[in-house]
Amino acid sequence: MTNAQYQEAVEWLFVQAPNYQIDGQKAYKPGLGNITRLCAFFDNPQDKIKCIHIGGTNGKGSTSNMLSSVLQESGYKTGLYNSPHLIDFTERIKVNGKNCDKEFVYNFILKLKKLPEDILPSFFEFTTIMAFEYFAQQKVDIAIIEVGLGGRLDSTNIIKPLVAAITNVQLDHQNILGDTIEEIAFEKAGIIKSNTPIIFGDDNETVKNIIKDKAAKENAPFIDATILKTKLKSDLKGNYQNKNIKVVLCLVEELRKLNYHISDKNIEKGLLNVHQNTGFIGRWFEFSQNPLTICDTGHNQAGLESVFEQLNSIEKHKHVVLGFVNDKKIDDVMSLLPKNSKFYFAKPSINRGRHPQDYEDLLIDAKIFYKIFDSVQEAYLSAKQECTNKEMIFIGGSNFVVGDFLEKNLEICE
């Protein structure tokens, strides 16, 4: 297999089953019928691995990577399934922090091309079965599976986990999951399984009651992570990680009850070595010190509120590179923008990327100092040119903005 063959195969995956809705073709296919048939075709690899299921609106990726790091420090061969990827497709599927083997991806896509015609998977269903199969082949001790979207009808919900967690529930993907926080909580609660512990990390009482009620119906032990007190820290530096750490600690405690040997030292080292152990980046990621340059993938209202609040706490003039996708309610973001800042708006490179010219009227109304660019890299280079070492740069607004930035610049950082 050549690199060109690999790239061609992955491109087929994106074209055959778009990652997002493009030109009226829906990428999201709610329901478990398709993934059930797909898993059966591959002899149900999800039943051959022990799993942990992690859902929620924000914090799924951070929580799953912190837990993976702790399990790796404890000596367990750990599978990790996250989405989306920032640079390369293989980031989605890892074992002990190492990206999925490209040869496996290539060969598995060849098998996908031969699926029966009555199985028409979405992009996420393709990648989910790929993760299950890879983890089964690699004989992992345990696999951490991050929910893609929602929970109840998400293709990952075919697994039977040892324990599950819902980090929080916020407004996001309302066009699919529902317009209210209660409707979205109902969808997230769909991952709760009979007699399977569920950990919850949100202090919203309305949401908490919905999760508790569902847990009670399923006879699933409910663990409230918010009441935990801890001074443990992580090398993931976002202030919002404090809540995620509590969810991780509760997950570890449940695993200990199942005779997984995880010492306090394993926990401490795991939390402090997430970057090194899992390769996880993009969450309050410090790209450079001179000038201070930080990127973060927070992209919905709750995520941006948290990120911008932390950004405002830094007493430096800021050069802020932002970009959004088509389904983003830009007017909701305008009121959150960090103070004492100059803005550089850019279009993410994906098809769903929204050009800032489309929402320039909102930028004018916001009375901010801004420039518009066709690409994230152009916006970043302009910000870098204008930024002094006493000032700082922030890049965010979307996973895809951060992905564009890191793809062009990460080697420089390293």
Side-chain angles (χ1 to χ4, degrees):
M1 178 206 71
T2 65
N3 190 58
Q5 287 175 312
Y6 164 76
Q7 295 295 344
E8 183 181 345
V10 173
E11 183 63 27
W12 174 87
L13 198 63
F14 278 90
V15 172
Q16 181 72 17
N19 196 359
Y20 294 92
Q21 186 163 327
I22 299 172
D23 298 330
Q25 184 175 4
K26 288 187 176 181
Y28 179 66
K29 296 183 177 181
L32 301 181
N34 232 10
I35 190 66
T36 299
R37 290 193 295 274
L38 190 57
C39 286
F41 182 82
F42 286 97
D43 195 27
N44 291 307
Q46 78 283 1
D47 292 338
K48 301 171 186 176
I49 52 178
K50 294 177 180 178
C51 295
I52 299 164
H53 208 187
I54 299 183
T57 304
N58 296 315
K60 298 189 296 291
S62 297
T63 300
S64 57
N65 275 269
M66 284 192 282
L67 180 61
S68 180
S69 183
V70 169
L71 288 168
Q72 288 170 231
E73 289 285 351
S74 305
Y76 292 104
K77 189 174 186 180
T78 307
L80 179 61
Y81 178 47
N82 289 140
S83 63
H85 63 271
L86 292 178
I87 299 174
D88 189 86
F89 175 83
T90 56
E91 295 169 32
R92 291 169 176 260
I93 305 169
K94 296 181 179 183
V95 173
N96 281 1
K98 184 179 179 183
N99 288 6
C100 179
D101 182 66
K102 288 186 176 182
E103 187 88 34
F104 168 83
V105 173
Y106 173 76
N107 290 327
F108 196 79
I109 290 174
L110 293 183
K111 295 177 184 177
L112 290 174
K113 289 182 177 182
K114 298 176 182 178
L115 284 174
E117 291 184 1
D118 65 326
I119 304 178
L120 296 171
S122 68
F123 175 88
F124 192 72
E125 287 167 336
F126 270 144
T127 59
T128 300
I129 183 61
M130 191 183 296
F132 293 156
E133 181 69 11
Y134 190 66
F135 296 152
Q137 284 189 17
Q138 291 288 310
K139 295 182 170 57
V140 299
D141 296 318
I142 196 161
I144 302 164
I145 308 296
E146 179 190 331
V147 173
L149 193 149
R152 182 175 65 94
L153 302 177
D154 187 76
S155 59
T156 65
N157 208 24
I158 195 171
I159 64 174
K160 301 177 182 69
L162 301 173
V163 58
I166 298 171
T167 54
N168 54 58
V169 178
Q170 308 285 350
L171 291 174
D172 198 16
H173 299 294
Q174 291 98 310
N175 59 324
I176 295 173
L177 301 179
D179 293 325
T180 68
I181 201 80
E182 290 84 0
E183 289 174 311
I184 295 173
F186 172 78
E187 294 298 327
K188 303 285 184 187
I191 69 169
I192 299 172
K193 304 288 194 306
S194 177
N195 299 304
T196 303
I198 180 71
I199 292 148
F200 188 60
D202 196 336
D203 50 17
N204 182 314
E205 288 298 325
T206 300
V207 174
K208 187 180 293 186
N209 287 333
I210 292 171
I211 305 300
K212 285 179 74 172
D213 288 347
K214 172 66 173 177
K217 289 176 183 175
E218 296 293 340
N219 197 33
F222 175 86
I223 298 102
D224 184 354
T226 65
I227 63 175
L228 190 68
K229 296 189 184 303
T230 180
K231 293 182 179 179
L232 288 172
K233 299 294 181 184
S234 171
D235 60 341
L236 305 184
K237 295 301 183 184
N239 293 341
Y240 51 82
Q241 299 296 359
N242 294 331
K243 292 182 178 180
N244 295 329
I245 287 171
K246 293 181 179 182
V247 174
V248 172
L249 295 178
C250 289
L251 283 163
V252 167
E253 193 56 37
E254 292 306 308
L255 290 173
R256 282 172 162 175
K257 293 176 183 177
L258 296 171
N259 295 320
Y260 283 83
H261 300 289
I262 305 167
S263 71
D264 290 347
K265 192 66 176 177
N266 295 150
I267 296 170
E268 184 181 353
K269 287 186 66 178
L271 291 175
L272 289 173
N273 291 285
V274 181
H275 288 309
Q276 177 183 319
N277 287 342
T278 74
F280 187 58
I281 56 175
R283 277 67 171 180
W284 201 261
F285 177 60
E286 192 173 296
F287 175 79
S288 75
Q289 271 288 342
N290 295 303
L292 177 61
T293 303
I294 290 170
C295 59
D296 195 286
T297 56
H299 58 279
N300 51 44
Q301 186 165 356
L304 287 171
E305 280 180 357
S306 179
V307 169
F308 288 163
E309 181 181 357
Q310 186 166 355
L311 197 56
N312 280 327
S313 71
I314 301 174
E315 293 182 356
K316 288 176 179 281
H317 180 74
K318 302 164 185 72
H319 297 262
V320 180
V321 178
L322 293 175
F324 306 102
V325 292
N326 285 328
D327 59 358
K328 178 61 60 185
K329 293 182 178 179
I330 308 294
D331 48 348
D332 290 345
V333 176
M334 289 299 105
S335 63
L336 305 176
L337 294 178
K339 309 295 185 288
N340 190 26
S341 302
K342 181 176 180 180
F343 296 91
Y344 306 74
F345 288 92
K347 177 188 180 297
S349 62
I350 63 162
N351 288 332
R352 288 171 65 228
R354 189 172 179 187
H355 201 286
Q357 289 172 346
D358 294 344
Y359 54 85
E360 190 171 8
D361 56 331
L362 296 173
L363 304 182
I364 294 170
D365 290 343
K367 294 181 172 56
I368 57 175
F369 191 84
Y370 70 90
K371 292 182 179 181
I372 284 177
F373 299 87
D374 292 328
S375 74
V376 172
Q377 185 66 1
E378 288 176 54
Y380 166 64
L381 292 176
S382 179
K384 186 179 179 183
Q385 185 175 22
E386 297 187 29
C387 184
T388 70
N389 280 346
K390 292 182 179 180
E391 300 174 335
M392 71 170 292
I393 298 172
F394 175 83
I395 301 106
S398 165
N399 285 289
F400 307 103
V401 170
V402 175
D404 285 353
F405 166 71
L406 292 176
E407 184 174 14
K408 295 286 187 183
N409 302 285
L410 190 58
E411 288 184 5
I412 300 170
C413 172
E414 294 170 343

